[in-house]
Amino acid sequence: MLRITRRQARGLRSVFRRSTFGVAHRGPTPPLVLDNSDGRLKAHCRHAGLAVEYDITTTHGPRERVAVPLDALADFEGRDDSIVGLEINPSGRTVVRWSDRGVPATRDYDVPDLSTLPEFPTRPPRFEPCSRAFVEALAEAGHVAGDDSPRYALASIQIRGAAGEVVATDGCQLLIRSGFRPPWAEDLLIPSGPIFAAKGIPFDRAILLGRTETHVVFRVGPWTIALEIRADARFPRVASIVPDPDRVTTRLRLDTADASFLADALGRRPGGSGVHAPVTLDLNGKVGVRACEPGGGHATELILDRSDYTGIPLRLGTERRYLARAARLGAVEIGFTGADQPIVARAENRLFAWQPLSRESALAPDPAAVRVESTSLHVPPDLPAGRPHERRIIPVTAPLARPEGHGPADNPGTGLSGLIHEAEALHTVLADAKARSHRL
């Protein structure tokens, strides 16, 4: 009988879960194998090109292998160190016994024959130190990669050895991270996925990287991660996708504070539930980002006061998630070669490109739009760190009564959300005043 504690089962479940391996919510799960055949008790799981192993503890018991469904950890995990026993009964089913607050519990599970389950991939003959930035790049690339198409393996991440780059695309967006030195010169494809964002793996510790003929392998603490090399898969030639910098006709210089403001505010703009969740980027005297609900209505406009642009004025529509991603990646320059050409955002060691929406998706300026300036939230030089940001309120020529249902005038709220709500309330008041003047 193999034994682990309920606390150890809880730690395993932080990584060994459906989402880590990209398994559908209701689909069958791969088995988790516990094995002490080499004198150490280890748990490992393989699925769709990803293999993960955790070294649990030294063991001196008889050599055994036991498998349970991946979801079974949720049944017997806990916060204490009481023992969980696992064994195979004569019918081939796995029986698990544990105690929950002193009450004995038993469950048995139907699992595949252990002889049909693959071993964990062979480890590389040597490992080399791997930077935390390389793992972060793989995690970012996992958010950009898409689904495989008949032509290209878009569910892959490309590691370009000689160029020192990590590349991912879904056909509509493209991410290139550079500045790495993997211990090989070839270009390799590995499956994308959320493994490098898994909270249960201590990527803040020393990371080692190695490679075999079939796998790229990472080691961090007691964890080993092996990703199968997709040797026969095809990947787009991304160099042909990115416009030449000499063709850029408009350059947006995005201020760091404005980038943070934009990434936070875009998700709250009207129209977020519509198809593509479009916003309009308008570079015409000022840098503005405009949005409205599908079907019309008054627009909301974010004015990026700290940012500027050079070149030809431009107005185009884009999916807000791409613009927000460029802002979160720390883009300092965004280049445009036309309203229907790929947009290229550049930052240190990062390039992010995406395709804009059709010309018809761009919203024209709306004189009645609710406008929020990025500098309306700022920290004055004499404001100590840790205090709430002050809000710059645009003065009104005459006091206006707040309409019923918009809350007390002496409690407008704080922060970006409060400022936007106040601006929208002010817009309602002005519209009401305009209607009254017409009636007079």
Side-chain angles (χ1 to χ4, degrees):
M1 177 182 290
L2 290 179
R3 292 177 173 83
I4 61 173
T5 67
R6 296 189 71 193
R7 192 188 307 276
Q8 288 172 332
R10 181 179 177 84
L12 292 176
R13 187 171 175 250
S14 66
V15 174
F16 290 110
R17 56 176 65 234
R18 287 173 177 264
S19 58
T20 301
F21 293 88
V23 179
H25 178 63
R26 296 185 180 276
T29 60
L32 175 69
V33 178
L34 289 94
D35 187 349
N36 69 348
S37 58
D38 63 354
R40 297 193 62 81
L41 178 58
K42 299 176 181 179
H44 72 83
C45 181
R46 294 186 64 164
H47 179 72
L50 171 64
V52 181
E53 182 181 76
Y54 180 75
D55 189 340
I56 300 176
T57 184
T58 302
T59 179
H60 302 287
R63 296 183 177 183
E64 296 179 79
R65 290 180 76 211
V66 175
V68 293
L70 204 61
D71 293 340
L73 290 170
D75 296 335
F76 51 82
E77 68 163 10
R79 299 179 181 274
D80 57 58
D81 292 318
S82 59
I83 297 298
V84 178
L86 305 96
E87 62 181 346
I88 301 175
N89 66 15
S91 65
R93 296 173 65 86
T94 297
V95 180
V96 182
R97 297 181 175 87
W98 70 99
S99 178
D100 187 2
R101 299 179 183 180
V103 179
T106 302
R107 286 201 63 173
D108 62 282
Y109 304 93
D110 186 20
V111 295
D113 188 331
L114 286 169
S115 63
T116 66
L117 299 179
E119 299 286 342
F120 194 80
T122 303
R123 288 158 179 75
R126 64 187 181 90
F127 287 90
E128 296 189 12
C130 173
S131 68
R132 169 65 176 155
F134 186 64
V135 172
E136 289 175 348
L138 293 171
E140 288 177 3
H143 292 297
V144 172
D147 298 323
D148 284 341
S149 71
R151 188 175 182 185
Y152 293 119
L154 301 182
S156 301
I157 298 172
Q158 185 183 50
I159 303 175
R160 304 187 66 196
E165 294 177 340
V166 172
V167 184
T169 180
D170 64 358
C172 296
Q173 57 180 328
L174 164 69
L175 174 68
I176 302 176
R177 286 283 304 267
S178 58
F180 309 111
R181 298 182 63 184
W184 60 81
E186 304 94 326
D187 293 350
L188 304 180
L189 290 181
I190 60 173
S192 66
I195 183 65
F196 294 105
K199 295 181 179 179
I201 300 179
F203 286 118
D204 56 340
R205 295 168 57 177
I207 306 168
L208 298 175
L209 172 63
R211 180 208 162 174
T212 66
E213 287 297 318
T214 58
H215 288 79
V216 173
V217 184
F218 294 81
R219 288 185 60 186
V220 51
W223 294 94
T224 302
I225 302 165
L227 296 120
E228 186 176 8
I229 297 172
R230 305 183 72 179
D232 298 326
R234 296 180 62 200
F235 197 75
R237 297 180 60 184
V238 297
S240 63
I241 300 173
V242 181
D244 192 294
D246 294 337
R247 294 173 50 206
V248 172
T249 57
T250 307
R251 283 184 170 86
L252 167 61
R253 290 187 292 268
L254 192 60
D255 178 85
T256 303
D258 277 355
S260 177
F261 168 85
L262 185 63
D264 179 65
L266 275 173
R268 302 177 185 150
R269 298 309 87 230
S273 60
V275 178
H276 302 302
V279 295
T280 297
L281 181 61
D282 199 339
L283 309 179
N284 191 357
K286 293 184 177 181
V287 179
V289 179
R290 193 176 300 122
C292 72
E293 292 291 350
H298 289 303
T300 297
E301 193 166 76
L302 305 175
I303 304 298
L304 307 183
D305 288 324
R306 307 178 186 92
S307 304
D308 60 10
Y309 71 93
T310 58
I312 302 173
L314 181 72
R315 183 188 303 149
L316 55 77
T318 174
E319 292 193 39
R320 68 185 66 195
R321 63 190 177 115
Y322 297 152
L323 185 58
R325 177 160 290 148
R328 285 194 298 270
L329 289 175
V332 294
E333 180 183 292
I334 303 179
F336 307 86
T337 57
D340 54 0
Q341 297 298 311
I343 304 168
V344 181
R346 298 177 186 272
E348 184 180 5
N349 296 331
R350 286 177 170 90
L351 182 150
F352 179 64
W354 71 98
Q355 186 66 27
L357 298 174
S358 65
R359 292 175 182 266
E360 295 75 18
S361 67
L363 298 173
D366 182 357
V370 177
R371 290 179 177 82
V372 180
E373 298 179 0
S374 61
T375 51
S376 295
L377 295 180
H378 68 286
V379 182
D382 58 343
L383 186 63
R387 287 181 54 185
H389 292 182
E390 286 190 359
R391 292 178 294 111
R392 187 180 69 184
I393 305 300
I394 300 174
V396 181
T397 55
L400 296 173
R402 187 173 295 262
E404 206 173 338
H406 284 272
D410 59 349
N411 185 27
T414 59
L416 175 62
S417 179
L419 177 63
I420 293 173
H421 285 316
E422 184 170 14
E424 290 172 343
L426 179 60
H427 180 273
T428 302
V429 172
L430 293 174
D432 183 60
K434 183 178 180 181
R436 291 181 182 180
S437 67
H438 279 303
R439 288 197 296 269
L440 292 175

